[in-house]
Amino acid sequence: MKFSIITPTYNRSHTLERSINSILNQEYQNFEMIIVDDGSTDETAKFMKKYENNSKIKYLQMQENKGVNAARNFGFKHISKDSQWITLLDSDDEFFPSALSNMKKIIEKNKELNYFRFAEVFTNGKKACYAKYDGLIADYEATVSEKDIYGGWTATLNKSIIQKGFKFNETINGFESLNWFELSKTENCFYSLCVVKLYHIDTNSLTRPSKKDWSFYQNCKKGNELIFENFGEDMQKFKSKKLAPILYELG
């Protein structure tokens, strides 16, 4: 079983090494790490030269900054033919050494499923996500309502999902819920409380910008509009806790 780890990065040369090292130090070594440079203007390209002879690292450069969703989609296009599973890691976060080996064990025990989510913790040890119980299998209703699941999870997908056309919405930055909601219409998701990722909040990011300019609010407005237009009725029907905050933000 081979994993492809997709890592988009933009001006993160100061945090990228900890993400890379966390992958290179995995107990399970059958992987490739695909780092997609989303038009960085810092020292990222220079920094990545130290890995140019490492066969496990693919460094791809985009000509201009197009956002994290476009960078992930670009990474999907460069997955090796012998890879079977795709997972996501941001360039300021880390996988625990046992992450891939634990993913492999859980996937092998649930061979009928193609879509998994694994738990994350913050650097202070607090949980970044919640599930009603370990091994919960969520359908579309459970996903949209988020009654028994919420927070940040590490998504891991069978390659067949990518081959069927799954990709992130490039008209906005972030708002991955749009894509996960849509995917849950055709794929049930296994939620594992096995912790695989250390989630850092000490860096500037899309959801934690040091300065919230007009483009930030424009993106938030568009993302919320898309969620409401595509899933608003179902969120209301399934009594989603997210619907009220979305309507408040739009208001």
Side-chain angles (χ1 to χ4, degrees):
M1 181 186 294
K2 183 174 181 177
F3 290 90
S4 290
I5 300 100
I6 309 294
T7 300
T9 188
Y10 177 67
N11 290 345
R12 289 271 179 81
S13 59
H14 59 295
T15 66
L16 193 52
E17 188 166 25
R18 73 184 178 198
S19 295
I20 294 174
N21 285 342
S22 79
I23 298 302
L24 293 179
N25 292 327
Q26 285 296 300
E27 295 171 359
Y28 185 73
Q29 284 284 305
N30 192 7
F31 67 81
E32 64 177 358
M33 186 178 192
I34 302 175
I35 298 172
V36 183
D37 187 345
D38 187 23
S40 294
T41 56
D42 64 355
E43 298 293 313
T44 297
K46 181 179 179 182
F47 167 77
M48 286 303 302
K49 287 186 180 297
K50 67 189 292 184
Y51 300 101
E52 60 186 359
N53 295 320
N54 191 317
S55 61
K56 291 184 178 291
I57 304 291
K58 288 184 181 178
Y59 176 55
L60 310 174
Q61 290 178 282
M62 299 177 69
Q63 294 302 310
E64 57 181 297
N65 179 242
K66 293 186 177 181
V68 64
N69 291 343
R72 286 172 177 156
N73 291 339
F74 190 72
F76 288 161
K77 296 176 182 177
H78 293 82
I79 294 168
S80 295
K81 291 182 179 180
D82 60 341
S83 282
Q84 298 147 311
W85 291 89
I86 294 88
T87 191
L88 307 173
L89 177 67
D90 289 343
S91 58
D92 59 337
D93 294 328
E94 300 172 75
F95 272 175
F96 288 105
S98 60
L100 296 183
S101 60
N102 284 332
M103 285 183 189
K104 180 176 181 291
K105 291 175 186 176
I106 293 167
I107 288 170
E108 288 179 337
K109 290 180 181 178
N110 299 275
K111 294 182 179 179
E112 72 281 7
L113 296 171
N114 296 313
Y115 176 25
F116 293 78
R117 282 176 170 262
F118 296 94
E120 304 174 358
V121 294
F122 295 110
T123 52
N124 62 6
K126 290 185 177 181
K127 295 179 181 179
C129 53
Y130 168 84
K132 188 175 182 180
Y133 58 84
D134 190 24
L136 184 149
I137 298 177
D139 58 9
Y140 176 65
E141 179 178 344
T143 301
V144 171
S145 69
E146 290 192 311
K147 180 181 178 181
D148 297 320
I149 45 173
Y150 59 82
W153 299 83
T154 293
T156 302
L157 310 173
N158 187 279
K159 190 178 182 179
S160 63
I161 290 176
I162 308 299
Q163 292 172 329
K164 291 175 184 176
F166 175 86
K167 62 180 181 179
F168 291 98
N169 189 322
E170 296 185 17
T171 66
I172 52 171
N173 243 331
F175 283 89
E176 292 89 347
S177 293
L178 276 166
N179 310 101
W180 303 135
F181 284 2
E182 190 64 34
L183 178 61
S184 67
K185 289 180 178 180
T186 57
E187 298 284 349
N188 287 343
C189 181
F190 184 100
Y191 281 80
S192 171
L193 293 178
C194 175
V195 178
V196 300
K197 192 176 90 171
L198 189 63
Y199 185 78
H200 289 264
I201 56 173
D202 60 345
T203 51
N204 183 44
S205 72
L206 173 68
T207 55
R208 303 184 306 275
S210 57
K211 180 181 178 182
K212 295 181 180 180
D213 57 15
W214 183 238
S215 63
F216 171 84
Y217 291 106
Q218 283 180 310
N219 187 71
C220 287
K221 177 177 178 289
K222 185 173 184 179
N224 283 320
E225 284 176 339
L226 286 171
I227 291 176
F228 183 70
E229 289 170 6
N230 289 280
F231 304 102
E233 289 186 7
D234 287 338
M235 292 175 80
Q236 184 177 18
K237 181 170 69 173
F238 303 142
K239 299 180 180 180
S240 170
K241 295 179 180 179
K242 267 192 173 181
L243 183 58
I246 288 173
L247 291 173
Y248 175 81
E249 289 186 23
L250 286 174

